[in-house]
Amino acid sequence: MAHAPIALFVYNRPEHLLRTLSSLRANALARDSTLYVFSDAAVGPQDSEAVETVRRIVNTTDGFNEICVREQPKNLGLAKSIITGVTELAAAYGRVIVLEDDLVMAPGFLTYMNEALDRYDKDQQVMQVSGYMFPIERPKRVGQSFFCRIPTSWGWGTWARAWERFNSDSTQMVDFLRSHPDRREAFNLNGAYPYFEHLTQQAEGKLDVWGVRWYASMFSASGLCLYPGQSLVQNIGMDGTGMHCGRSSHFEVDLSDLQTWKFPDRIEESLQAFEAICEFLVGLRGQKPTGAIVDLVSRLRHVAGTMKRAITAAG
């Protein structure tokens, strides 16, 4: 199958962009891939020079099979830019790899993404492939690759069949979660992260983001995201220069040097990985794992054990 197109969303950080492009070109599949660059227009005069510098860079770059640059005449903002670009390419190609201009990729990133997109093309429950993996403690707990319900937005891919389920209007989901406290608690990973609060702020127009809407869409469809056990993406933009994030080193990772991967045969969430990611997210907020998280993991393990015993007995 042909390699998935790469959608790269850029704005006003030329130095970050140069590192992004350099790391992407170092991937073996880069020269066989089509790169679509979506360049948003400046919000105001203060960003105009940097935006023009970014556009000069992308219009003179090389190292790919084809490069298509889309320059917006008016500012859309990151959320609308990504939703529009992903919708276009997913419809045209059936799949898409999505990047932003502050990411550095490992040399095996494109190979991993394309192999995973091929492998799970027909599996409806698998809705995303993530290139980023959180810097969890005891990484051996998660294996070489695994499934988890939580998507990420730093170097990812999806299919048209999954993206068709994306609901940009979060109002209905907010109303549903408000009226179903148990589902709201599950949406928040039982207290590990305030996803519902972010979704509510987005629905009220106080937060212009797309990622929590994509998570809500996956959550309502019981979708899963494939992760690598060790990250293939590093976010270099958390240095205070970004539009949506401040300065932080909490998400820094050591990039994987793997070139081949073993993917899960069974489409099911890894309970060990879910627990490890929850612990990491709780740690970000300066908390200890809550009893709710411990109880949730315990219940999930009990259910998984019961199912395994039932399958063994039936066999």
Side-chain angles (χ1 to χ4, degrees):
M1 188 173 289
H3 301 319
I6 305 165
L8 173 60
F9 295 88
V10 304
Y11 183 51
N12 69 341
R13 293 193 280 181
E15 293 182 3
H16 295 75
L17 174 61
L18 287 170
R19 292 179 62 186
T20 296
L21 289 170
S22 177
S23 69
L24 195 55
R25 280 194 296 264
N27 276 250
L29 299 186
R31 289 195 171 275
D32 299 320
S33 302
T34 299
L35 175 67
Y36 284 84
V37 183
F38 295 86
S39 172
D40 204 4
V43 173
Q46 70 278 6
D47 291 337
S48 295
E49 183 177 352
V51 167
E52 288 305 313
T53 300
V54 162
R55 290 181 171 180
R56 284 195 295 271
I57 291 171
V58 296
N59 278 295
T60 57
T61 196
D62 58 9
F64 302 90
N65 180 55
E66 184 179 1
I67 301 172
C68 304
V69 180
R70 308 285 177 81
E71 297 182 359
Q72 282 294 335
K74 296 182 179 180
N75 183 268
L76 296 181
L78 181 60
K80 189 173 182 180
S81 293
I82 288 182
I83 293 170
T84 301
V86 171
T87 300
E88 175 192 338
L89 295 186
Y93 292 90
R95 58 182 63 187
V96 60
I97 296 169
V98 188
L99 300 172
E100 295 175 40
D101 59 0
D102 58 358
L103 304 176
V104 167
M105 277 63 67
F109 170 77
L110 288 178
T111 301
Y112 161 84
M113 293 298 295
N114 278 282
E115 288 183 359
L117 289 169
D118 284 347
R119 172 70 177 268
Y120 300 106
D121 181 47
K122 304 300 182 184
D123 293 292
Q124 296 295 317
Q125 192 178 3
V126 185
M127 296 180 67
Q128 178 178 317
V129 177
S130 174
Y132 178 79
M133 172 54 186
F134 302 97
I136 62 170
E137 294 183 7
R138 292 171 288 170
K140 289 183 179 180
R141 294 164 64 184
V142 303
Q144 199 175 98
S145 60
F146 63 90
F147 289 111
C148 190
R149 74 189 70 175
I150 315 162
T152 64
S153 59
W154 297 340
W156 58 284
T158 191
W159 302 264
R161 54 136 178 106
W163 190 249
E164 287 172 356
R165 300 185 185 186
F166 175 71
N167 185 359
S168 62
D169 184 359
S170 51
T171 305
Q172 183 178 359
M173 189 63 174
V174 167
D175 291 342
F176 171 78
L177 292 174
R178 277 183 177 147
S179 60
H180 294 77
D182 57 331
R183 298 294 286 162
R184 182 173 69 244
E185 192 71 4
F187 187 71
N188 276 346
L189 310 181
N190 279 40
Y193 200 78
Y195 283 114
F196 178 70
E197 289 78 355
H198 292 177
L199 187 68
T200 300
Q201 291 175 357
Q202 196 284 319
E204 294 173 347
K206 299 176 182 178
L207 196 62
D208 183 24
V209 293
W210 65 272
V212 72
R213 286 181 279 176
W214 176 228
Y215 169 46
S217 301
M218 288 183 58
F219 182 84
S220 63
S222 299
L224 293 174
C225 176
L226 178 76
Y227 281 83
Q230 184 177 356
S231 190
L232 293 158
V233 177
Q234 175 80 276
N235 188 313
I236 60 170
M238 304 193 77
D239 54 1
T241 64
M243 296 292 290
H244 298 282
C245 58
R247 187 182 298 274
S248 175
S249 61
H250 294 301
F251 296 92
E252 291 182 0
V253 294
D254 294 322
L255 292 180
S256 171
D257 58 3
L258 288 179
Q259 294 292 329
T260 59
W261 289 267
K262 177 176 173 56
F263 296 120
D265 292 321
R266 299 182 63 178
I267 311 300
E268 61 182 10
E269 184 172 42
S270 166
L271 303 182
Q272 292 83 4
F274 175 75
E275 180 183 14
I277 292 174
C278 283
E279 288 176 357
F280 171 77
L281 293 174
V282 168
L284 285 180
R285 304 172 67 198
Q287 302 175 358
K288 294 182 178 179
T290 65
I293 293 174
V294 173
D295 290 345
L296 173 62
V297 173
S298 177
R299 290 198 301 271
L300 287 171
R301 285 177 172 166
H302 174 72
V303 171
T306 302
M307 292 178 63
K308 184 175 181 180
R309 288 191 293 272
I311 292 170
T312 302

